[in-house]
Amino acid sequence: MSHLEVRSHAGGPLIARSAVMGVMLNGITTMVGFGSLMIASHQGIFSLGLLLTLGSLCGLVAALVVLPVLLQLMRKATVEAEVAVEKSSAA
């Protein structure tokens, strides 16, 4: 299992591989577009390109690493709450 593929409670992937690849492709093309500003000789345009590229990288990392972990934690909390409700209603 890859580090980007978080499993759901039922055993399947929590996030579809095609969605991960789409987000990754979008983030990379955005970074390439903003990164192209860094070839400018004007210092302001260069720094704007650098700042936007780093910001896009941080957003991509957040979407591909942090968000799946949060989704897994939320799913685990939901399953635990469902089990607690089932136990309390059975008693």
Coordinates of all heavy atoms in Angstrom, one line a residue:
M1 N 0.8 -1.2 0.0 CA 0.0 0.0 0.0 C 0.9 1.2 0.0 O 1.8 1.4 0.8 CB -0.9 0.0 1.2 CG -1.7 1.2 1.4 SD -3.0 1.1 2.6 CE -2.1 0.8 4.1
S2 N 0.6 2.1 -0.9 CA 1.5 3.4 -1.0 C 1.1 4.3 0.2 O 0.0 4.2 0.8 CB 1.3 4.0 -2.3 OG 0.3 5.0 -2.3
H3 N 2.0 5.2 0.5 CA 1.7 6.2 1.6 C 0.6 7.1 1.2 O 0.0 7.8 2.1 CB 3.0 6.9 2.0 CG 3.4 7.9 0.9 ND1 4.1 7.4 -0.2 CD2 3.4 9.2 0.8 CE1 4.4 8.5 -0.9 NE2 4.0 9.6 -0.3
L4 N 0.2 7.2 -0.1 CA -0.9 8.1 -0.5 C -2.2 7.4 -0.5 O -3.3 8.0 -0.7 CB -0.6 8.7 -1.9 CG 0.6 9.6 -2.0 CD1 0.7 10.1 -3.4 CD2 0.4 10.8 -1.1
E5 N -2.2 6.1 -0.3 CA -3.4 5.3 -0.4 C -3.9 4.8 1.0 O -3.4 3.9 1.5 CB -3.1 4.0 -1.3 CG -4.4 3.3 -1.6 CD -4.0 2.1 -2.6 OE1 -3.4 2.4 -3.6 OE2 -4.5 1.0 -2.3
V6 N -4.8 5.6 1.5 CA -5.3 5.3 2.9 C -6.5 4.4 2.7 O -7.4 4.6 1.9 CB -5.7 6.6 3.6 CG1 -6.3 6.3 4.9 CG2 -4.5 7.5 3.7
R7 N -6.6 3.3 3.5 CA -7.6 2.3 3.4 C -8.8 2.8 4.2 O -8.7 3.3 5.3 CB -7.2 1.0 3.8 CG -6.1 0.4 2.9 CD -6.7 -0.2 1.7 NE -5.7 -0.7 0.8 CZ -6.0 -1.0 -0.4 NH1 -7.2 -1.0 -0.8 NH2 -5.0 -1.5 -1.2
S8 N -10.0 2.5 3.7 CA -11.2 2.7 4.5 C -11.5 1.6 5.4 O -10.8 0.6 5.4 CB -12.4 2.9 3.5 OG -12.8 1.7 2.9
H9 N -12.6 1.7 6.2 CA -12.9 0.7 7.1 C -13.3 -0.6 6.4 O -13.0 -1.7 6.9 CB -14.1 1.1 8.0 CG -14.6 0.1 9.0 ND1 -13.8 -0.3 10.0 CD2 -15.8 -0.5 9.1 CE1 -14.5 -1.2 10.7 NE2 -15.7 -1.3 10.2
A10 N -13.9 -0.6 5.2 CA -14.3 -1.7 4.5 C -13.1 -2.4 3.7 O -13.3 -3.4 3.1 CB -15.4 -1.4 3.5
G11 N -11.9 -1.8 3.7 CA -10.8 -2.4 3.1 C -10.4 -1.7 1.8 O -9.3 -1.9 1.3
G12 N -11.3 -1.0 1.2 CA -11.0 -0.3 -0.1 C -10.3 1.0 0.2 O -10.2 1.5 1.3
P13 N -9.8 1.6 -0.9 CA -9.1 2.9 -0.7 C -10.1 4.0 -0.3 O -11.2 4.1 -0.7 CB -8.5 3.2 -2.1 CG -9.3 2.4 -3.0 CD -9.8 1.2 -2.3
L14 N -9.6 4.9 0.6 CA -10.5 6.0 1.1 C -10.6 7.0 0.1 O -11.7 7.6 -0.1 CB -9.8 6.6 2.4 CG -10.6 7.7 3.1 CD1 -11.9 7.2 3.6 CD2 -9.7 8.2 4.3
I15 N -9.6 7.3 -0.7 CA -9.6 8.2 -1.8 C -9.2 7.5 -3.1 O -8.2 6.8 -3.1 CB -8.6 9.4 -1.5 CG1 -9.0 10.1 -0.2 CG2 -8.6 10.4 -2.7 CD1 -8.0 11.1 0.2
A16 N -9.9 7.7 -4.1 CA -9.7 7.0 -5.4 C -8.3 7.4 -5.9 O -7.9 8.6 -5.8 CB -10.8 7.3 -6.4
R17 N -7.6 6.5 -6.5 CA -6.3 6.8 -7.1 C -6.4 7.8 -8.2 O -5.5 8.7 -8.3 CB -5.7 5.5 -7.7 CG -4.3 5.6 -8.3 CD -3.8 4.3 -8.7 NE -2.6 4.4 -9.5 CZ -1.4 4.5 -8.9 NH1 -1.2 4.5 -7.6 NH2 -0.3 4.6 -9.7
S18 N -7.5 7.8 -9.0 CA -7.6 8.8 -10.0 C -7.8 10.2 -9.5 O -7.3 11.2 -10.1 CB -8.9 8.5 -10.9 OG -10.0 8.4 -10.1
A19 N -8.4 10.3 -8.3 CA -8.5 11.6 -7.7 C -7.2 12.1 -7.2 O -6.8 13.3 -7.4 CB -9.5 11.6 -6.5
V20 N -6.4 11.2 -6.6 CA -5.0 11.6 -6.2 C -4.2 12.0 -7.3 O -3.5 13.0 -7.3 CB -4.4 10.4 -5.4 CG1 -2.9 10.7 -5.1 CG2 -5.1 10.1 -4.1
M21 N -4.3 11.3 -8.4 CA -3.5 11.6 -9.6 C -3.9 13.0 -10.2 O -3.1 13.8 -10.7 CB -3.5 10.5 -10.7 CG -2.9 9.2 -10.2 SD -1.2 9.3 -9.7 CE -0.4 9.6 -11.2
G22 N -5.2 13.2 -10.2 CA -5.7 14.5 -10.7 C -5.3 15.7 -9.9 O -4.9 16.7 -10.5
V23 N -5.3 15.5 -8.6 CA -4.9 16.6 -7.7 C -3.4 16.8 -7.9 O -2.9 18.0 -8.0 CB -5.2 16.3 -6.2 CG1 -4.5 17.2 -5.3 CG2 -6.7 16.3 -6.0
M24 N -2.6 15.7 -8.0 CA -1.2 15.9 -8.2 C -0.8 16.5 -9.5 O 0.0 17.4 -9.6 CB -0.5 14.5 -8.1 CG 1.0 14.5 -7.9 SD 1.8 13.0 -7.7 CE 0.7 11.9 -7.0
L25 N -1.5 16.1 -10.6 CA -1.2 16.7 -11.9 C -1.6 18.2 -11.9 O -0.9 19.0 -12.4 CB -2.0 16.0 -13.0 CG -1.9 16.5 -14.4 CD1 -0.4 16.3 -14.9 CD2 -2.8 15.8 -15.4
N26 N -2.7 18.5 -11.3 CA -3.1 19.9 -11.2 C -2.1 20.8 -10.4 O -1.7 21.9 -10.8 CB -4.5 20.0 -10.6 CG -5.0 21.4 -10.5 OD1 -4.6 22.3 -11.3 ND2 -5.9 21.7 -9.6
G27 N -1.7 20.2 -9.3 CA -0.7 21.0 -8.5 C 0.6 21.1 -9.2 O 1.3 22.2 -9.1
I28 N 1.1 20.1 -9.8 CA 2.4 20.2 -10.5 C 2.3 21.2 -11.7 O 3.2 22.0 -11.9 CB 2.8 18.8 -11.0 CG1 3.2 17.9 -9.8 CG2 4.0 18.9 -12.0 CD1 3.5 16.5 -10.1
T29 N 1.2 21.1 -12.5 CA 1.2 22.1 -13.6 C 1.0 23.5 -13.1 O 1.6 24.5 -13.7 CB 0.0 21.8 -14.5 OG1 -1.2 21.7 -13.8 CG2 0.2 20.4 -15.2
T30 N 0.4 23.7 -12.0 CA 0.3 25.1 -11.4 C 1.6 25.5 -10.9 O 2.0 26.7 -11.2 CB -0.7 25.0 -10.2 OG1 -2.0 24.6 -10.6 CG2 -0.8 26.4 -9.5
M31 N 2.4 24.6 -10.3 CA 3.8 25.0 -9.9 C 4.7 25.3 -11.0 O 5.5 26.2 -11.0 CB 4.4 23.9 -9.0 CG 3.7 23.8 -7.6 SD 4.6 22.7 -6.5 CE 4.8 21.3 -7.4
V32 N 4.5 24.6 -12.1 CA 5.3 24.8 -13.3 C 5.0 26.2 -13.9 O 5.9 27.0 -14.3 CB 5.2 23.7 -14.4 CG1 5.7 24.1 -15.7 CG2 5.8 22.4 -13.9
G33 N 3.7 26.5 -13.9 CA 3.3 27.8 -14.4 C 3.8 29.0 -13.6 O 4.3 29.9 -14.1
F34 N 3.6 28.8 -12.3 CA 4.1 29.9 -11.4 C 5.7 29.9 -11.4 O 6.3 31.0 -11.3 CB 3.6 29.8 -10.0 CG 2.2 30.2 -9.9 CD1 1.3 29.4 -9.0 CD2 1.6 31.2 -10.6 CE1 0.0 29.8 -8.9 CE2 0.3 31.6 -10.4 CZ -0.5 30.9 -9.6
G35 N 6.3 28.7 -11.5 CA 7.7 28.6 -11.5 C 8.4 29.3 -12.7 O 9.5 29.8 -12.7
S36 N 7.6 29.4 -13.8 CA 8.1 30.0 -15.0 C 8.3 31.5 -14.8 O 9.1 32.1 -15.5 CB 7.2 29.8 -16.2 OG 6.0 30.4 -16.0
L37 N 7.7 32.1 -13.8 CA 7.9 33.5 -13.5 C 9.3 33.7 -12.9 O 9.8 34.8 -12.9 CB 6.8 34.0 -12.5 CG 5.4 34.0 -12.9 CD1 4.5 34.4 -11.8 CD2 5.2 35.0 -14.1
M38 N 9.9 32.7 -12.4 CA 11.2 32.8 -11.8 C 12.3 33.0 -12.8 O 13.5 33.2 -12.3 CB 11.5 31.6 -10.8 CG 10.6 31.6 -9.6 SD 11.1 30.4 -8.4 CE 10.7 28.9 -9.2
I39 N 12.1 32.9 -14.0 CA 13.1 33.1 -15.0 C 13.2 34.6 -15.4 O 14.1 35.0 -16.1 CB 12.9 32.3 -16.3 CG1 11.6 32.6 -17.0 CG2 13.0 30.8 -16.0 CD1 11.5 32.0 -18.4
A40 N 12.3 35.4 -14.8 CA 12.3 36.8 -15.1 C 13.5 37.5 -14.5 O 13.9 37.1 -13.4 CB 11.0 37.5 -14.6
S41 N 14.0 38.6 -15.1 CA 15.1 39.3 -14.5 C 14.6 40.3 -13.5 O 15.4 40.8 -12.7 CB 15.9 40.0 -15.6 OG 15.0 40.9 -16.3
H42 N 13.3 40.7 -13.6 CA 12.8 41.6 -12.6 C 12.6 40.9 -11.3 O 12.0 39.8 -11.1 CB 11.4 42.1 -13.1 CG 10.8 43.2 -12.3 ND1 10.1 43.0 -11.1 CD2 10.9 44.5 -12.4 CE1 9.7 44.1 -10.6 NE2 10.2 45.1 -11.4
Q43 N 13.2 41.5 -10.2 CA 13.3 40.9 -8.9 C 11.9 40.7 -8.3 O 11.6 39.6 -7.6 CB 14.1 41.7 -8.0 CG 14.5 41.0 -6.7 CD 15.5 41.8 -5.9 OE1 15.6 43.0 -6.1 NE2 16.2 41.1 -5.0
G44 N 10.9 41.6 -8.5 CA 9.6 41.4 -8.0 C 8.8 40.3 -8.6 O 8.2 39.5 -7.9
I45 N 9.0 40.1 -9.9 CA 8.3 39.0 -10.6 C 8.9 37.7 -10.2 O 8.2 36.7 -10.0 CB 8.4 39.2 -12.2 CG1 7.7 40.5 -12.6 CG2 7.8 38.0 -12.9 CD1 6.2 40.5 -12.3
F46 N 10.3 37.7 -10.1 CA 10.9 36.5 -9.6 C 10.5 36.0 -8.2 O 10.1 34.9 -8.0 CB 12.5 36.7 -9.6 CG 13.2 35.5 -9.0 CD1 13.6 34.5 -9.9 CD2 13.5 35.4 -7.7 CE1 14.3 33.4 -9.4 CE2 14.2 34.3 -7.2 CZ 14.6 33.3 -8.0
S47 N 10.4 37.0 -7.3 CA 10.0 36.6 -5.9 C 8.5 36.2 -5.9 O 8.1 35.4 -5.1 CB 10.3 37.8 -5.0 OG 9.5 38.9 -5.3
L48 N 7.7 36.9 -6.7 CA 6.3 36.5 -6.8 C 6.2 35.0 -7.3 O 5.4 34.2 -6.8 CB 5.5 37.4 -7.7 CG 4.0 37.2 -7.9 CD1 3.3 37.4 -6.6 CD2 3.5 38.0 -9.0
G49 N 6.9 34.7 -8.3 CA 6.9 33.3 -8.8 C 7.4 32.3 -7.8 O 6.8 31.2 -7.6
L50 N 8.4 32.7 -7.0 CA 8.9 31.8 -6.0 C 7.9 31.6 -4.9 O 7.6 30.5 -4.4 CB 10.2 32.4 -5.4 CG 10.9 31.6 -4.3 CD1 11.3 30.2 -4.8 CD2 12.1 32.4 -3.7
L51 N 7.3 32.7 -4.4 CA 6.3 32.6 -3.4 C 5.1 31.8 -3.8 O 4.6 31.0 -3.0 CB 5.9 34.1 -3.0 CG 4.8 34.2 -1.9 CD1 5.5 33.7 -0.6 CD2 4.3 35.6 -1.8
L52 N 4.6 32.0 -5.0 CA 3.4 31.3 -5.5 C 3.8 29.8 -5.7 O 2.9 28.9 -5.5 CB 2.9 31.9 -6.8 CG 2.2 33.2 -6.6 CD1 2.0 33.9 -8.0 CD2 1.0 33.1 -5.8
T53 N 5.0 29.5 -6.2 CA 5.4 28.1 -6.3 C 5.5 27.4 -5.0 O 5.0 26.3 -4.8 CB 6.7 28.0 -7.1 OG1 6.6 28.7 -8.3 CG2 7.2 26.6 -7.3
L54 N 6.1 28.0 -4.0 CA 6.1 27.4 -2.7 C 4.8 27.3 -2.0 O 4.5 26.3 -1.4 CB 7.1 28.2 -1.8 CG 8.5 28.2 -2.1 CD1 9.3 29.2 -1.2 CD2 9.1 26.8 -2.0
G55 N 3.9 28.3 -2.2 CA 2.5 28.2 -1.7 C 1.8 27.0 -2.4 O 1.0 26.3 -1.7
S56 N 1.9 26.9 -3.7 CA 1.3 25.7 -4.4 C 1.8 24.4 -3.9 O 1.1 23.4 -3.7 CB 1.5 25.9 -5.9 OG 0.9 27.0 -6.4
L57 N 3.1 24.3 -3.6 CA 3.7 23.1 -3.1 C 3.1 22.8 -1.7 O 2.8 21.6 -1.4 CB 5.2 23.2 -3.0 CG 6.0 22.1 -2.4 CD1 5.8 20.8 -3.3 CD2 7.4 22.4 -2.2
C58 N 3.0 23.8 -0.9 CA 2.4 23.6 0.5 C 1.0 23.1 0.4 O 0.5 22.2 1.1 CB 2.5 24.8 1.3 SG 4.2 25.3 1.8
G59 N 0.2 23.7 -0.6 CA -1.2 23.3 -0.8 C -1.3 21.8 -1.3 O -2.2 21.1 -0.9
L60 N -0.3 21.5 -2.2 CA -0.3 20.1 -2.7 C 0.0 19.1 -1.6 O -0.6 18.1 -1.5 CB 0.7 20.0 -3.9 CG 0.8 18.7 -4.6 CD1 -0.5 18.4 -5.3 CD2 1.9 18.8 -5.6
V61 N 1.0 19.4 -0.8 CA 1.4 18.5 0.3 C 0.2 18.4 1.3 O -0.1 17.3 1.7 CB 2.6 19.0 1.0 CG1 2.9 18.3 2.3 CG2 3.8 18.9 0.1
A62 N -0.5 19.5 1.6 CA -1.6 19.4 2.5 C -2.7 18.6 1.9 O -3.4 17.8 2.6 CB -2.1 20.8 2.7
A63 N -3.0 18.7 0.6 CA -4.1 17.9 0.0 C -3.7 16.4 -0.1 O -4.6 15.6 0.0 CB -4.3 18.5 -1.4
L64 N -2.5 16.1 -0.3 CA -2.1 14.7 -0.5 C -1.6 14.0 0.7 O -1.7 12.8 0.8 CB -1.0 14.6 -1.6 CG -1.4 15.0 -3.0 CD1 -0.2 14.9 -4.0 CD2 -2.6 14.2 -3.5
V65 N -1.2 14.7 1.7 CA -0.7 14.1 3.0 C -1.6 14.3 4.1 O -2.1 13.4 4.8 CB 0.7 14.5 3.3 CG1 1.2 13.9 4.6 CG2 1.6 14.2 2.1
V66 N -1.9 15.6 4.4 CA -2.7 15.9 5.6 C -4.2 15.6 5.5 O -4.8 15.0 6.4 CB -2.5 17.4 5.9 CG1 -3.4 17.9 7.1 CG2 -1.1 17.8 6.2
L67 N -4.8 15.9 4.4 CA -6.2 15.6 4.2 C -6.6 14.1 4.3 O -7.5 13.8 5.0 CB -6.7 16.2 2.9 CG -8.2 16.1 2.6 CD1 -9.0 16.8 3.7 CD2 -8.5 16.6 1.2
P68 N -5.8 13.2 3.7 CA -6.2 11.8 3.9 C -6.1 11.3 5.3 O -6.9 10.5 5.8 CB -5.2 11.0 3.0 CG -4.8 12.0 1.9 CD -4.8 13.3 2.6
V69 N -5.1 11.8 6.1 CA -5.0 11.5 7.5 C -6.2 12.0 8.2 O -6.8 11.3 9.1 CB -3.7 12.0 8.1 CG1 -3.6 11.9 9.6 CG2 -2.5 11.4 7.4
L70 N -6.6 13.2 8.0 CA -7.8 13.8 8.7 C -9.0 13.0 8.3 O -9.9 12.7 9.2 CB -8.0 15.3 8.3 CG -6.9 16.2 8.9 CD1 -7.2 17.6 8.3 CD2 -7.0 16.2 10.4
L71 N -9.2 12.6 7.0 CA -10.3 11.8 6.6 C -10.3 10.5 7.3 O -11.4 10.0 7.8 CB -10.3 11.6 5.1 CG -10.7 12.8 4.3 CD1 -10.5 12.5 2.8 CD2 -12.1 13.3 4.6
Q72 N -9.2 9.8 7.5 CA -9.1 8.6 8.2 C -9.5 8.7 9.6 O -10.2 7.9 10.2 CB -7.7 8.0 8.0 CG -7.6 6.6 8.6 CD -6.2 6.0 8.3 OE1 -5.2 6.7 8.2 NE2 -6.1 4.7 8.3
L73 N -9.0 9.8 10.3 CA -9.3 10.0 11.7 C -10.8 10.3 11.9 O -11.4 9.8 12.8 CB -8.5 11.2 12.2 CG -7.0 11.0 12.4 CD1 -6.3 12.2 12.8 CD2 -6.8 9.9 13.4
M74 N -11.4 11.0 10.9 CA -12.8 11.3 11.0 C -13.6 10.0 10.8 O -14.6 9.8 11.5 CB -13.3 12.3 10.0 CG -12.8 13.7 10.3 SD -13.2 14.9 9.1 CE -14.9 14.7 8.8
R75 N -13.2 9.2 9.9 CA -13.9 7.9 9.6 C -13.8 7.0 10.9 O -14.7 6.4 11.3 CB -13.3 7.2 8.4 CG -14.1 5.9 8.1 CD -13.8 5.4 6.8 NE -14.2 6.3 5.8 CZ -14.9 6.0 4.7 NH1 -15.3 4.8 4.6 NH2 -15.2 7.0 3.9
K76 N -12.6 7.0 11.5 CA -12.4 6.1 12.7 C -13.3 6.6 13.8 O -13.9 5.8 14.5 CB -10.9 6.2 13.1 CG -10.7 5.3 14.3 CD -9.2 5.5 14.8 CE -8.3 4.6 14.1 NZ -6.9 4.6 14.7
A77 N -13.4 7.9 14.0 CA -14.3 8.5 15.0 C -15.7 8.2 14.8 O -16.5 7.8 15.7 CB -14.1 10.0 15.1
T78 N -16.1 8.2 13.5 CA -17.5 7.9 13.1 C -17.8 6.4 13.4 O -18.9 6.1 14.0 CB -17.7 8.2 11.6 OG1 -17.4 9.5 11.4 CG2 -19.2 7.9 11.2
V79 N -16.9 5.5 13.0 CA -17.1 4.1 13.3 C -17.2 3.8 14.8 O -18.0 3.1 15.3 CB -16.0 3.3 12.6 CG1 -16.0 1.8 13.1 CG2 -16.1 3.3 11.1
E80 N -16.3 4.4 15.6 CA -16.3 4.3 17.0 C -17.6 4.8 17.6 O -18.2 4.2 18.5 CB -15.1 4.9 17.7 CG -13.8 4.3 17.4 CD -12.6 5.0 17.9 OE1 -12.8 6.1 18.5 OE2 -11.5 4.5 17.7
A81 N -18.1 5.9 17.1 CA -19.4 6.4 17.6 C -20.5 5.5 17.3 O -21.4 5.3 18.1 CB -19.6 7.8 17.0
E82 N -20.5 4.9 16.1 CA -21.6 4.0 15.7 C -21.5 2.7 16.5 O -22.6 2.2 17.0 CB -21.4 3.6 14.2 CG -21.8 4.7 13.2 CD -21.4 4.3 11.8 OE1 -20.9 3.2 11.5 OE2 -21.8 5.1 10.9
V83 N -20.4 2.2 16.9 CA -20.2 1.1 17.7 C -20.8 1.4 19.1 O -21.5 0.6 19.7 CB -18.8 0.6 17.8 CG1 -18.6 -0.5 18.9 CG2 -18.4 0.0 16.4
A84 N -20.4 2.6 19.6 CA -20.9 3.0 21.0 C -22.4 3.1 21.0 O -23.1 2.7 22.0 CB -20.3 4.3 21.4
V85 N -23.0 3.6 19.9 CA -24.5 3.7 19.8 C -25.1 2.3 19.8 O -26.1 2.0 20.5 CB -24.9 4.5 18.6 CG1 -26.4 4.4 18.4 CG2 -24.5 6.0 18.8
E86 N -24.5 1.4 19.0 CA -25.0 0.0 18.9 C -25.0 -0.7 20.3 O -25.9 -1.4 20.7 CB -24.3 -0.8 17.9 CG -24.6 -0.4 16.5 CD -23.7 -1.1 15.4 OE1 -22.9 -2.0 15.8 OE2 -23.8 -0.8 14.3
K87 N -23.8 -0.5 21.0 CA -23.7 -1.1 22.3 C -24.7 -0.6 23.3 O -25.3 -1.3 24.1 CB -22.3 -0.9 22.8 CG -21.3 -1.8 22.2 CD -19.9 -1.6 22.8 CE -18.8 -2.5 22.2 NZ -17.5 -2.3 22.8
S88 N -24.9 0.7 23.3 CA -25.9 1.4 24.2 C -27.3 1.0 23.9 O -28.1 0.8 24.8 CB -25.7 2.9 24.2 OG -26.1 3.4 23.0
S89 N -27.6 0.8 22.6 CA -29.0 0.5 22.3 C -29.3 -1.0 22.5 O -30.4 -1.4 22.7 CB -29.3 0.8 20.8 OG -28.5 0.1 20.0
A90 N -28.2 -1.9 22.5 CA -28.4 -3.3 22.7 C -28.5 -3.6 24.2 O -29.1 -4.6 24.6 CB -27.2 -4.1 22.2
A91 N -28.1 -2.7 25.1 CA -28.1 -3.0 26.5 C -29.5 -2.7 27.1 O -30.5 -2.6 26.8 CB -27.1 -2.1 27.2

